[in-house]
Amino acid sequence: MISTDYDAIVFDNDGVLIEPTDRERLYEAVHRSFEHFDVVAEEALVRRAVEEDDLPFDDVRETHGLDPDKWWRRREAAAVAIQREEIRAGSKALYDDVAALGELDHTLAIVSNNQHETIEFIVDHHELDAQFETYYGRDPTVEGAKRKKPDPHYIDRALAELETTDALYVGDSEKDLVAAERAGIDSAFLRREHRRDLTLSVEPTHEFADLRGLVDAVASARAAGE
């Protein structure tokens, strides 16, 4: 049974609160970043820049002669612009069950591997600022990219701001579970439709089909304890 004593519940963003961004649009952002420097990058390099934790900074420097930090900042700006387009168009939509989070009396926060500027836009666009106490996305720098989950850096920053180490982290990937473990907090895996067949090698503290399931579990635990 889930604990009702957490001081805070912290949520991943993409695939948890809002639909993931179409991969083709993210590839487009990477292409745009290279085109800014009059470079045509190989498709394999473009895909690595989206899909892998081991980002191709050495290839950017050695193969194309670009400063990795300048290129990455351009890549991040392009990704932010494209995701704003998708959000405004409704192609990257907030999940309906986010509304259920209003039933929780915990302090809520967001920690995402997406750009901080993208998270800011989502919070503003969907008027979530009253619901979430704080939110963190990655800094638009090479160092910021290296601190993405499973590194617990941004989770640790959020917990420090909330002045607690007693929290639950809710995510939809193995990286989320590892990051929570490294931060010393419990985890909940959200097995939405796009994660139905995902096999995990890390055991989450809890697992739910969606946010409604999480909220109902908290309510049931609270009722059982009364």
Side-chain angles (χ1 to χ4, degrees):
M1 181 175 290
I2 192 168
S3 171
T4 59
D5 295 330
Y6 296 119
D7 292 330
I9 302 179
V10 185
F11 297 86
D12 179 36
N13 179 65
D14 296 80
V16 173
L17 302 178
I18 198 167
E19 293 175 350
T21 308
D22 187 322
R23 282 289 178 91
E24 294 301 322
R25 296 304 318 268
L26 294 178
Y27 298 148
E28 180 184 341
V30 178
H31 278 296
R32 285 186 191 180
S33 68
F34 280 108
E35 289 165 1
H36 175 81
F37 298 99
D38 296 321
V39 168
V40 177
E42 293 182 357
E43 192 63 28
L45 180 59
V46 169
R47 290 177 181 271
R48 281 180 61 202
V50 172
E51 298 170 2
E52 298 184 15
D53 289 329
D54 184 20
L55 293 166
F57 296 129
D58 289 341
D59 286 344
V60 167
R61 180 191 298 107
E62 295 168 10
T63 303
H64 297 298
L66 301 179
D67 177 272
D69 194 64
K70 289 181 180 178
W71 167 73
W72 185 251
R73 286 180 181 274
R74 181 59 54 176
R75 186 266 186 204
E76 293 288 76
V80 169
I82 278 177
Q83 289 181 97
R84 283 179 173 177
E85 292 173 10
E86 295 288 291
I87 293 163
R88 288 191 182 105
S91 305
K92 182 178 173 67
L94 204 69
Y95 289 111
D96 291 341
D97 57 8
V98 170
L101 300 183
E103 299 172 30
L104 297 172
D105 57 9
H106 302 75
T107 297
L108 307 183
I110 302 170
V111 173
S112 171
N113 271 356
N114 212 325
Q115 301 86 17
H116 186 74
E117 192 173 347
T118 298
I119 305 305
E120 282 186 316
F121 181 80
I122 291 168
V123 169
D124 181 64
H125 183 80
H126 289 290
E127 300 180 343
L128 301 175
D129 54 317
Q131 198 162 14
F132 292 95
E133 184 72 20
T134 191
Y135 49 88
Y136 283 88
R138 68 179 185 240
D139 297 330
T141 61
V142 168
E143 190 62 30
K146 291 178 179 178
R147 287 173 167 171
K148 294 191 302 177
K149 294 171 292 182
D151 189 308
H153 174 78
Y154 293 108
I155 293 178
D156 288 339
R157 286 178 63 179
L159 296 180
E161 182 174 336
L162 298 175
E163 299 182 337
T164 185
T165 55
D166 188 4
L168 175 70
Y169 188 72
V170 183
D172 72 325
S173 74
E174 190 160 304
K175 295 175 189 176
D176 295 326
L177 307 183
V178 174
E181 183 177 21
R182 291 177 178 176
I185 61 175
D186 288 352
S187 63
F189 181 71
L190 214 63
R191 196 174 287 278
R192 289 197 186 276
E193 185 62 34
H194 68 288
R195 295 302 197 196
R196 284 288 183 263
D197 300 323
L198 180 66
T199 300
L200 298 170
S201 63
V202 178
E203 187 74 22
T205 314
H206 308 284
E207 182 173 314
F208 304 103
D210 50 31
L211 294 176
R212 180 74 261 173
L214 166 65
V215 172
D216 288 348
V218 171
S220 295
R222 181 171 288 112
E226 291 177 353

